[in-house]
Amino acid sequence: MTTLHLVLGDQLSRSLSSLRDIDPKTSVILIAEVMGEATYVRHHKKKIAFLFSAMRHFAEALKAEGLEVRYIKLDDPDNTQSLASEVKRALAESGADRLVVTEPGEYRLLHEMQSWTDEFGIPVDLREDDRFLITRAGFGRWADKRRELRMEYFYRDMRRHFGVLMQKDGTPEGGQWNFDKENRKSPPKGLSGPKRLSWKKDEITREVLDLVEHRFPDHFGRLEPFHFAVTAEQADAELEQFLTEILPSFGDWQDAMVLGEPYLFHSMIAAYLNAGLLTPMDVIRRAERCYFDGTAPLNAVEGFIRQILGWREYVRGIYWRFMPDYAERNALAAERPLPALYWTGRTNMACMSAAVNDTIEHAYSHHIQRLMLTGNFALLAGLSVSEVCEWYLAVYADAYEWVELPNTLGMALFADGGLMASKPYAASGKYIDRMSNFCGACHYDVKDGEGERACPFNSLYWRFIAVNEERLRGNHRMANILAGWRRMGDAKKAALLSRAEHCLNLLAEDKL
């Protein structure tokens, strides 16, 4: 009796449910690199290299335990390049009569796996991914009781349930749940982040980098220099550096953006969490200790924990509750084709150039750049929801559909009609000027809305309001903005709309 245990590329945790009852005498572990998963969107070169290297290192760690691992490299001559086909081939060649799998993080794969029992003719034990802190059913029970599914209230319930940053009387540390107002400081001149850990590339990683450069030469992004941790030990060291050296400053500058500083004081652990090299509750408890030990202030610790205990768990819950129909939502009827600048970074807008070029270089940009630059611009310009979502899924090393889709479609693009966000995250150049130093080096004038050098964000913002006025009429949080547009003089309205259309024409011509 042989059991085949499948491990996916984002399931690199020894605590994985499909590995929990592994038996060295009767179990075979399958890990496979396949083109089908590497190319269903044109993933960033660094993303592919990170995952392949981490997968190979994880396989070696399992082998060191004395476990039998069937590892299929991308360039193995017998590789069928399909996950299902590799499972079928492994079943036949190992003689396994049972398959154990942890549920994947993407609907398309789960839908495929649910047919494997019939397709392969053997029992398939499809187990829950209990590395997350709330089950899909648990989120469903929370959601069933509420008319609006706001993250803030979900986060408070998670804090209470797990006793995170809570006092004995059931109230939150510091007397409030959320310290966002303290986390929105504008960056002072000269603000820079600390130097991050870098890792010497071993033979496995060098082999992977050569493979990716050879097999994916036309994929988005720059492969070198390669800076990712590729083992749980390395990821843990990066987390420890963040907690001890960087977290104290994270809160104050959480929303700041600085030219030439893609990381500032952000943790950069999302790729490691989402691939399984770190586990969320361990990260949360270690961050919480920093507050109780007095090594990091509450606004920093709470803001960091909220991203994991709140947002990460919440967006996963939203994804599984509303898929597959969620991916088809387009409440604002946004259909404009994704412009070239999202792939090239070529634009006269300093902020957009910085955000896209950071993404090209690092397969990373922090959450404010994603939401308030590339996301905000896509919202204002009415870019195709499906194309924007595919771009976010492809270009970031931490992106999997369960986390990317709600954050992009729901938060950045308001395409779910307000299921996640209480209002569109639309902003003019004024916000970017306040939270960054980009505008001082820009071709455009952030204080102008209508002239030849007027910041495109300004006119596109008012065009967005005008185009969506009827759709947003019932949103009380938009009432003042809509009233301001109605009070505006006809001549000014016409000038703003004319400037916006000119900007959209330049965008289409790749000249903006």
Side-chain angles (χ1 to χ4, degrees):
M1 300 284 288
T2 301
T3 299
L4 184 68
H5 301 253
L6 176 64
V7 175
L8 303 179
D10 60 346
Q11 297 179 345
L12 308 180
S13 307
R14 187 59 184 88
S15 61
L16 191 70
S17 59
S18 60
L19 296 177
R20 198 154 296 145
D21 53 357
I22 205 88
D23 185 341
K25 296 178 181 178
T26 61
S27 296
V28 177
I29 301 167
L30 172 64
I31 306 176
E33 304 166 3
V34 294
M35 289 295 285
E37 294 303 305
T39 59
Y40 71 93
V41 296
R42 293 174 63 81
H43 297 288
H44 196 297
K45 291 178 183 179
K46 273 192 170 80
K47 181 180 184 180
I48 299 172
F50 159 62
L51 286 172
F52 282 5
S53 181
M55 289 161 67
R56 294 186 186 191
H57 282 91
F58 187 65
E60 292 303 311
L62 294 173
K63 290 176 185 177
E65 291 185 38
L67 301 172
E68 182 178 348
V69 180
R70 178 187 173 98
Y71 193 95
I72 308 301
K73 294 183 177 181
L74 191 78
D75 52 0
D76 285 348
D78 295 328
N79 190 336
T80 62
Q81 305 302 342
S82 157
L83 184 62
S85 296
E86 282 308 303
V87 171
K88 187 174 184 178
R89 186 162 71 97
L91 289 170
E93 295 181 6
S94 68
D97 52 9
R98 179 169 171 263
L99 175 63
V100 179
V101 187
T102 294
E103 286 184 346
E106 300 195 352
Y107 179 87
R108 64 179 180 88
L109 268 183
L110 179 62
H111 183 68
E112 179 181 332
M113 287 178 177
Q114 287 169 337
S115 69
W116 281 2
T117 295
D118 293 335
E119 183 177 348
F120 301 145
I122 60 165
V124 176
D125 184 358
L126 191 56
R127 299 178 177 177
E128 189 162 41
D129 190 346
D130 56 10
R131 297 173 300 168
F132 290 90
L133 303 178
I134 189 170
T135 64
R136 290 163 53 188
F139 185 87
R141 288 191 294 272
W142 176 84
D144 286 341
K145 301 174 185 175
R146 287 160 178 80
R147 185 173 61 86
E148 291 185 331
L149 305 184
R150 295 290 175 244
M151 194 285 296
E152 177 65 26
Y153 299 107
F154 171 79
Y155 167 61
R156 293 180 187 185
D157 285 346
M158 293 288 278
R159 288 264 299 272
R160 293 187 188 100
H161 178 78
F162 289 101
V164 174
L165 291 178
M166 298 295 293
Q167 299 185 53
K168 291 181 180 179
D169 64 358
T171 59
E173 285 290 335
Q176 61 192 68
W177 293 101
N178 182 314
F179 290 84
D180 252 357
K181 290 182 180 179
E182 297 180 28
N183 296 345
R184 296 171 180 159
K185 294 183 179 179
S186 301
K189 187 175 182 179
L191 183 68
S192 62
K195 185 178 180 180
R196 303 302 178 109
L197 294 179
S198 60
W199 303 101
K200 184 178 180 180
K201 293 186 281 288
D202 62 10
E203 184 177 347
I204 291 175
T205 298
R206 288 197 300 270
E207 183 180 281
V208 166
L209 293 174
D210 289 342
L211 171 73
V212 172
E213 194 60 78
H214 175 68
R215 297 297 297 272
F216 305 96
D218 298 327
H219 274 228
F220 178 82
R222 195 164 292 121
L223 186 57
E224 298 270 17
F226 184 81
H227 51 74
F228 286 95
V230 292
T231 67
E233 293 75 19
Q234 290 177 350
D236 189 82
E238 290 199 19
L239 171 62
E240 188 63 22
Q241 183 200 27
F242 171 73
L243 294 175
T244 57
E245 301 176 22
I246 303 169
L247 177 59
S249 299
F250 169 71
D252 288 351
W253 316 116
Q254 184 181 154
D255 287 6
M257 299 175 284
V258 174
L259 193 64
E261 291 285 340
Y263 310 139
L264 279 179
F265 300 98
H266 291 266
S267 71
M268 296 172 56
I269 65 165
Y272 308 143
L273 270 173
N274 293 351
L277 299 182
L278 296 173
T279 55
M281 188 49 73
D282 177 61
V283 174
I284 289 167
R285 292 302 184 192
R286 287 163 67 179
E288 185 185 35
R289 272 202 307 274
C290 292
Y291 167 67
F292 288 119
D293 291 346
T295 59
L298 184 55
N299 70 311
V301 173
E302 185 278 318
F304 176 65
I305 286 176
R306 183 164 12 110
Q307 292 184 342
I308 303 171
L309 184 62
W311 270 114
R312 186 172 186 268
E313 298 290 329
Y314 171 77
V315 297
R316 180 177 181 262
I318 291 290
Y319 176 83
W320 285 114
R321 183 170 176 84
F322 294 102
M323 282 295 284
D325 296 341
Y326 190 79
E328 305 303 318
R329 297 191 182 193
N330 189 0
L332 301 183
E335 299 289 352
R336 191 178 305 278
L338 189 73
L341 75 86
Y342 276 78
W343 299 110
T344 65
R346 291 195 302 268
T347 173
N348 291 318
M349 294 179 286
C351 59
M352 288 290 288
S353 176
V356 175
N357 278 295
D358 283 348
T359 302
I360 291 170
E361 182 72 24
H362 304 291
Y364 171 87
S365 64
H366 67 68
H367 69 282
I368 295 300
Q369 292 172 314
R370 298 188 201 193
L371 179 63
M372 301 309 299
L373 293 182
T374 50
N376 181 30
F377 186 84
L379 174 70
L380 300 184
L383 302 186
S384 164
V385 172
S386 61
E387 290 185 45
V388 174
C389 287
E390 183 173 312
W391 182 81
Y392 275 92
L393 182 59
V395 304
Y396 294 117
D398 54 46
Y400 302 88
E401 194 178 65
W402 67 265
V403 64
E404 174 277 322
L405 188 65
N407 271 310
T408 306
L409 186 149
M411 288 301 295
L413 303 181
F414 203 70
D416 64 7
L419 173 65
M420 286 183 63
S422 58
K423 72 177 185 66
Y425 274 82
S428 68
K430 185 177 181 180
Y431 172 88
I432 299 167
D433 190 31
R434 184 172 72 251
M435 297 309 303
S436 80
N437 66 354
F438 295 142
C439 299
C442 189
H443 168 81
Y444 295 108
D445 181 357
V446 70
K447 292 181 170 53
D448 188 6
E450 306 153 34
E452 291 184 6
R453 297 281 289 272
C455 172
F457 278 88
N458 293 337
S459 58
L460 289 175
Y461 174 82
W462 288 112
R463 179 187 180 278
F464 170 80
I465 298 300
V467 167
N468 293 291
E469 183 176 2
E470 290 304 313
R471 295 186 180 98
L472 300 174
R473 187 180 295 276
N475 188 312
H476 71 279
R477 294 195 65 193
M478 297 296 293
N480 289 339
I481 295 166
L482 293 173
W485 171 251
R486 295 186 199 107
R487 288 194 302 268
M488 199 178 291
D490 290 343
K492 186 171 182 64
K493 284 182 177 179
L496 285 167
L497 294 178
S498 175
R499 172 62 182 167
E501 290 304 320
H502 180 65
C503 288
L504 291 175
N505 289 335
L506 291 176
L507 182 68
E509 297 168 4
D510 198 22
K511 296 178 180 178
L512 187 61

